[in-house]
């Protein structure tokens, strides 16, 4: 951490030039003796990234931005609010994998104290400085191995342990839970002796069913998407929980939160009704499909499914709080009708339970990408191949 970056004249320069291309700044001569042009560019790049992801940081004075990789890996403020909702007032929390402290800062708004453990000394110093600037007085940054810190605590002395295990080990991306660092599968018994609750943020690429087999006492699972991109899986283990996991698919978009809550047993036993396409078509968000709430979302919002294996839904009246995209159906074609007409030169194309890939459909029917028309190539309740033309509702 170069403390000269916080000098008044340097901060004024960064603010005056923060809309410029960081690469332009990096190749100019720095006007400051103790701050290089690459460091200035890094701060400007950090601010630009924070504008959408971390607006509280971006519009607070004297914030110090870390290396790009730390900003890329940190949570957004929107997803951090979900973690905050899990923390009980006045509790003791240890974040053993630290990072840029976005989750820690939000959890600190509910907790009595949050200990932020970080192995990168410079990053730990940055976190300490930023916490002071943001007025987060109960965040305690420590330059320490988080696992060793927790091991040294007395049993049952903590309320929550928070972990964001690294999916990159020795510069290689790993996909199994036990291959991440730290290995939360091997360490979970120790963690649950030290704290009643363990919250683990896991990559959305991980297999949910496999993770539930390997993690004990999982009370809650959140599958979180932001603006159509599945961001993370959040597992909450409760030392005393036995039985099923309650799964919640959360869609965050345009400062709104939509959700579906269910259990895997309820999903298996739920009976749904199928129908031909009615007036409105519903395409579920990626959080819903990743969570596996295919029947539960139909029951929750009183919708018909097009086919048991076609994850599209329909209704005669619009259900505006559905967690996904909603379309007004304009036309319905059998595949043979569509082949004869080929009525669209340009459209957004998607397939659901259909034997052709999108790129093959575009090539076959000479459909360019884009525009206001949406075409869903799907299988209906009677196993017919159909094409649904819709317009997206705002």
């Amino acid at each position: 951490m170069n403390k000269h970056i916080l000098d008044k004249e340097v901060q004024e320069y960064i603010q005056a030039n923060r809309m410029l291309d960081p690469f332009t700044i990096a190749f100019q001569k720095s006007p400051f003796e103790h701050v290089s042009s690459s460091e200035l560019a890094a701060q400007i790049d950090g601010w630009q990234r924070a504008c959408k992801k971390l607006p509280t940081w971006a519009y607070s004075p004297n914030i110090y931005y870390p290396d790009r990789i730390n900003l890329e890996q940190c949570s957004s403020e929107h997803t951090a609010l979900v973690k905050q909702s899990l923390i009980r007032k006045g509790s003791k929390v240890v974040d053993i994998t630290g990072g840029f402290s976005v989750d820690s800062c939000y959890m600190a708004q509910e907790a009595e104290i949050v200990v932020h453990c970080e192995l990168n000394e410079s990053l730990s110093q940055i976190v300490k400085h930023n916490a002071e600037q943001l007025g987060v007085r109960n965040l305690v940054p420590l330059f320490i191995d988080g696992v060793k810190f927790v091991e040294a605590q007395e049993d049952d002395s903590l309320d929550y342990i928070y972990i964001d295990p690294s999916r990159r080990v020795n510069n290689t991306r790993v996909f199994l839970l036990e291959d991440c660092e730290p290995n939360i599968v091997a360490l979970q018994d120790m963690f649950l002796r030290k704290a009643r609750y363990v919250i683990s943020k896991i990559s959305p690429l991980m297999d949910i069913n496999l993770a539930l087999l390997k993690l004990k006492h999982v009370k809650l699972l959140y599958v979180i998407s932001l603006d159509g991109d599945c961001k993370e899986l959040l597992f909450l283990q409760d030392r005393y929980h036995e039985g099923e996991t309650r799964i919640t698919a959360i869609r965050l978009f345009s400062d709104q939160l939509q959700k579906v809550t269910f259990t895997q047993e309820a999903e298996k036993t739920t009976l749904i009704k199928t129908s031909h396409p009615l007036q409105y078509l519903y395409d579920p968000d990626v959080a819903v499909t990743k969570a596996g709430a295919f029947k539960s979302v139909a029951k929750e919002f009183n919708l018909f499914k097009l086919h048991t294996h076609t994850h599209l839904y329909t209704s005669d009246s619009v259900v505006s709080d559905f967690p996904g995209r909603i379309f007004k159906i304009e036309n319905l074609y059998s595949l043979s009708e569509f082949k004869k007409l080929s009525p669209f030169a340009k459209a957004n194309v998607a397939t659901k339970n259909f034997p052709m890939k999108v790129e093959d459909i575009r090539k076959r029917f000479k459909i360019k990408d884009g525009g206001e028309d949406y075409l869903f190539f799907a299988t209906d309740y009677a196993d017919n191949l159909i094409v649904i033309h819709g317009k997206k509702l705002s």
Side-chain angles (χ1 to χ4, degrees):
M1 178 178 177
N2 181 357
K3 293 186 177 180
H4 288 291
I5 286 174
L6 300 169
D7 291 347
K8 184 173 181 293
E9 60 273 19
V10 177
Q11 286 294 303
E12 288 175 347
Y13 175 88
I14 291 169
Q15 184 165 357
N17 293 277
R18 63 187 184 182
M19 301 301 293
L20 298 181
D21 185 346
F23 290 103
T24 301
I25 300 295
F27 287 103
Q28 292 178 352
K29 186 178 185 302
S30 171
F32 307 105
E33 181 181 356
H34 300 295
V35 180
S36 68
S37 56
S38 61
E39 287 174 317
L40 293 171
Q43 292 303 303
I44 290 170
D45 179 71
W47 180 85
Q48 291 175 0
R49 290 173 182 273
C51 281
K52 289 185 178 180
K53 194 174 187 179
L54 306 168
T56 300
W57 272 252
Y59 293 101
S60 296
N62 299 316
I63 295 296
Y64 194 114
Y65 295 101
D67 292 339
R68 177 185 292 187
I69 189 169
N70 299 123
L71 277 171
E72 290 175 344
Q73 292 177 345
C74 76
S75 296
S76 69
E77 289 191 52
H78 293 86
T79 58
L81 283 167
V82 179
K83 288 105 169 176
Q84 183 190 76
S85 72
L86 299 175
I87 305 300
R88 293 180 178 177
K89 285 282 188 185
S91 53
K92 297 178 181 177
V93 181
V94 177
D95 180 348
I96 69 170
T97 48
F100 191 43
S101 80
V102 178
D103 290 327
S104 289
C105 284
Y106 273 88
M107 290 188 287
Q109 294 179 30
E110 295 295 321
E112 176 187 342
I113 186 172
V114 176
V115 178
H116 175 280
C117 303
E118 175 52 53
L119 281 169
N120 182 322
E121 185 174 12
S122 176
L123 184 56
S124 185
Q125 292 172 352
I126 291 170
V127 167
K128 183 176 186 298
H129 165 79
N130 288 342
E132 291 169 353
Q133 299 303 306
L134 295 166
V136 186
R137 308 299 177 194
N138 58 335
L139 181 68
V140 181
L142 297 179
F143 168 47
I144 195 170
D145 184 310
V147 173
K148 291 180 180 177
F149 176 84
V150 167
E151 283 178 325
Q153 306 307 303
E154 293 184 4
D155 287 358
D156 210 25
S157 61
L158 305 171
D159 295 303
Y160 296 87
I161 294 169
Y162 176 70
I163 316 157
D164 180 4
S166 174
R167 273 79 70 184
R168 188 168 290 278
V169 180
N170 297 324
N171 293 320
T172 301
R173 186 167 291 279
V174 297
F175 298 97
L176 295 177
L177 204 54
E178 58 269 36
D179 290 337
C180 297
E181 290 186 355
N183 182 345
I184 61 175
V185 176
L187 293 167
Q188 63 183 319
D189 288 334
M190 184 271 286
F191 289 154
L192 288 167
R193 288 198 309 271
K194 305 300 180 179
R196 175 172 173 176
Y197 302 104
V198 178
I199 301 172
S200 300
K201 172 186 168 183
I202 308 297
S203 165
L205 296 176
M206 292 287 180
D207 183 281
I208 286 176
N209 292 319
L210 197 56
L212 288 173
L213 285 173
K214 294 179 179 180
L215 296 177
K216 304 174 182 178
H217 310 297
V218 179
K219 184 177 183 179
L220 304 174
L221 165 59
Y222 290 91
V223 182
I224 307 170
S225 75
L226 178 62
D227 296 330
D229 185 14
C230 196
K231 291 294 186 182
E232 57 196 54
L233 309 177
L234 204 61
F235 292 80
L236 183 141
Q237 295 170 269
D238 178 346
R239 181 197 301 160
Y240 301 118
H241 178 72
E242 301 292 343
E244 282 200 272
T245 301
R246 192 177 71 188
I247 303 172
T248 301
I250 296 179
R251 180 196 187 205
L252 302 171
F253 77 109
S254 301
D255 294 325
Q256 297 183 55
L257 184 151
Q258 297 172 327
K259 63 182 180 180
V260 181
T261 298
F262 67 105
T263 65
Q264 290 187 328
E265 182 60 27
E267 173 68 19
K268 289 177 185 176
T269 57
T270 292
L271 298 176
I272 58 162
K273 296 179 181 179
T274 57
S275 170
H276 64 277
L278 301 172
Q279 291 195 56
Y280 296 95
L281 187 73
Y282 303 84
D283 182 19
D285 180 70
V286 63
V288 175
T289 56
K290 176 65 181 181
F294 302 115
K295 294 190 287 185
S296 298
V297 74
K299 180 182 178 181
E300 176 83 12
F301 294 94
N302 195 27
L303 301 172
F304 295 98
K305 212 165 186 282
L306 293 195
H307 182 283
T308 304
H309 303 297
T310 302
H311 304 316
L312 289 171
Y313 307 83
T314 190
S315 69
D316 265 326
S317 57
V318 66
V319 180
S320 59
D321 57 345
F322 176 81
R325 300 185 301 171
I326 307 173
F327 300 86
K328 177 71 172 66
I329 295 177
E330 302 289 336
N331 297 289
L332 177 64
Y333 308 92
S334 68
L335 184 60
S336 58
E337 287 174 335
F338 192 87
K339 285 178 179 178
K340 291 176 183 177
L341 296 172
S342 294
F344 294 90
K346 185 176 184 180
N348 302 278
V349 176
T351 59
K352 301 282 184 173
N353 188 23
F354 195 81
M356 292 176 67
K357 295 180 180 179
V358 169
E359 53 268 30
D360 295 330
I361 290 170
R362 289 195 179 283
K363 185 176 180 180
R364 167 69 177 79
F365 297 107
K366 299 179 181 179
I367 304 172
K368 293 182 179 179
D369 188 27
E372 296 181 354
D373 295 299
Y374 288 78
L375 298 176
F376 289 89
F377 289 71
T379 302
D380 72 5
Y381 71 102
D383 290 323
N384 298 311
L385 298 180
I386 60 172
V387 183
I388 304 168
H389 167 219
K391 298 276 191 179
K392 187 178 177 182
L393 300 186
S394 58

